[in-house]
Amino acid sequence: MKTRLLPALGCALALSACGTGILWKTPIEGAALNGSPLPIAAEGNNLYQLFPVGTQLHLRKLNSAGKEQWQVAVDDTLANALTSPKLRATADGVVVGYQDSANKQVFLKGFDGDGNERWFSDLGEHASETLDDLTSGSNGTVTAAVRLSGTLVNAVQFDASGTLLWETAIPACYLLCVTTLGSDSNGNTLVANTEIAATKSYLLDSSGTQVWYQRRATGISTLGLVANKITTTVDGFALHHPFVSWGYDIDGTPTWSYSSGSQANLAATATSEYYVPGFEKISHLDSAGNLLNELDFSDQKGVRQIEWRDDVQRLIVLSSYETTGPEIDGTITVESGQTLSIYDATGARKARYTSKATQVKSALCTPYPQCTSIVTIPGESWSQFTTTADRKLVVSGLTFDSERFAKALKLP
């Protein structure tokens, strides 16, 4: 089998959001091209993006026009800090959660808007630490879910200046679990332990004291142990599992349930309506979990991320696609990439942007498959998006074998 790698072609030969819609694209100078995708976050009109340089984790800031303001190394004392870092923007700047996977240590570091280190914490003394999740509150607090073993996790909260407020041990889960967090505007934190066939949820108040506990059976997902995604709602929290989605009010009372799920998050509106990703669709539900309508995503492989912007009444969906078809030159071409779709509150699609596709062309010959030649034409990968206050839709992306970047698109 012969394999060739060709440079990416222009917009005329690939599905892409070329021309209209693109406001700016800013490459990351010096970024490594290997490794997993890293997060991007917005605070107002400022953008913060994590990226790798060798095995080091770096952070940069962009303004709303896409101009880079600064770059800093997050922690150059570690040999490798690239395993599942977390990024949360706050009114005071940004907080990065990262870990030394070799020595099983987790760290948090806060930076101000000029890239200066504001505070640092090694989270105290634990024999083993893994960072499961990180969330930020409206009052500037940040809370980390620090895994101590397969069954034990602690929730640890710091104030805006990095002072430890509390550390709460969550009851042990059954055999194995992963943990996610959600914070509301009143200082409450929901901790969700996803087990093999159930999710156990604990609400902690602003002092870290457990207020209530709920257990929800979910069934065993064929995707394995997938962490539930938590969305803060008007009156409580919503959880999204690969099989099912449901909500709790602030007192822990179950408020709705819907038999659809995915590995993505769900979105909630200010009027307590929900957009729930599922297989080939997104279900729009009312506050009681009743179906209002469905958005057709049968042309996509799956939803990766969604967001509801209440101020502009827009739903934004990041999904993946893959198409396969014969070409007139006797080859079979597989195209894959990501799509950003924007809908209004009625379910009408207002725009769709598509990344430059990666194409894999297979030439058919005899004997098949021994003599088959494969040509790969690399495209883009959009890993995550965020939105700014001035209605820019910004993706964190990678052009294979070329560059990492942030790209801003219009949010109609």
Side-chain angles (χ1 to χ4, degrees), residues 5-9 356-359 376-380 399-401:
L5 194 66
L6 299 181
L9 299 183
K356 185 178 297 182
T358 293
Q359 298 182 340
T376 301
I377 304 171
E380 293 179 341
T399 301
F400 294 110
D401 296 323

Side-chain angles (χ1 to χ4, degrees), residues 89-389:
T90 70
D92 299 311
V94 67
V95 176
V96 182
Y98 58 102
Q99 52 198 332
D100 181 342
S101 298
N103 295 316
K104 293 294 184 181
Q105 290 181 293
V106 171
F107 308 96
L108 299 182
K109 186 172 286 189
F111 296 88
D112 65 19
D114 296 319
N116 301 306
E117 181 182 322
R118 296 180 61 247
W119 59 271
F120 169 81
S121 176
D122 62 2
L123 303 186
E125 296 294 331
H126 304 100
S128 175
E129 298 173 344
T130 301
L131 182 61
D132 268 15
D133 202 8
L134 184 69
T135 187
S136 58
S138 58
N139 55 355
T141 60
V142 290
T143 309
V146 183
R147 180 150 302 284
L148 309 180
S149 70
T151 60
L152 297 175
V153 69
N154 283 9
V156 187
Q157 186 171 101
F158 299 83
D159 67 13
S161 62
T163 301
L164 177 65
L165 297 177
W166 49 260
E167 180 170 1
T168 299
I170 306 303
C173 61
Y174 176 70
L175 293 179
L176 187 67
C177 58
V178 290
T179 305
T180 45
L181 302 172
S183 298
D184 68 12
S185 59
N186 296 315
N188 300 303
T189 302
L190 186 70
V191 182
N193 266 345
T194 306
E195 299 182 351
I196 295 173
T199 295
K200 296 176 179 177
S201 300
Y202 305 83
L203 187 74
L204 309 180
D205 65 15
S206 58
S207 65
T209 302
Q210 181 179 317
V211 179
W212 53 258
Y213 157 77
Q214 287 282 5
R215 182 186 184 277
R216 167 66 188 248
T218 56
I220 301 175
S221 170
T222 57
L223 299 172
L225 195 62
V226 178
N228 282 251
K229 303 298 191 300
I230 300 175
T231 301
T232 303
T233 65
V234 174
D235 62 347
F237 299 90
L239 292 92
H240 190 56
H241 179 271
F243 282 171
V244 64
S245 304
W246 70 97
Y248 297 119
D249 66 18
I250 197 60
D251 297 318
T253 303
T255 53
W256 63 274
S257 178
Y258 192 71
S259 299
S260 182
S262 71
Q263 296 186 69
N265 60 304
L266 62 81
T269 74
T271 55
S272 296
E273 294 181 359
Y274 307 99
Y275 290 93
V276 178
F279 179 67
E280 295 188 342
K281 64 184 179 180
I282 293 178
S283 301
H284 182 192
L285 312 178
D286 66 14
S287 59
N290 300 308
L291 181 65
L292 297 175
N293 56 60
E294 292 181 339
L295 304 179
D296 182 13
F297 273 73
S298 58
D299 62 340
Q300 303 290 297
K301 284 188 65 178
V303 174
R304 303 174 63 169
Q305 179 188 354
I306 72 173
E307 178 185 335
W308 171 259
R309 276 283 297 261
D310 212 75
D311 56 337
V312 294
Q313 295 287 289
R314 291 290 186 267
L315 179 73
I316 307 157
V317 183
L318 176 65
S319 56
S320 299
Y321 70 89
E322 183 176 291
T323 61
T324 304
E327 304 293 337
I328 59 175
D329 60 0
T331 62
I332 294 178
T333 299
V334 177
E335 291 190 339
S336 60
Q338 291 75 47
T339 300
L340 276 166
S341 305
I342 298 95
Y343 296 85
D344 66 15
T346 69
R349 195 171 77 196
K350 309 303 292 184
R352 173 168 277 189
Y353 304 112
T354 307
S355 68
K356 185 178 297 182
T358 293
Q359 298 182 340
V360 179
K361 288 181 172 287
S362 303
L364 301 181
C365 57
T366 305
Y368 180 85
Q370 288 85 352
C371 75
T372 301
S373 64
I374 298 176
V375 176
T376 301
I377 304 171
E380 293 179 341
S381 173
W382 295 350
S383 59
Q384 190 183 32
F385 74 85
T386 189
T387 60
T388 62

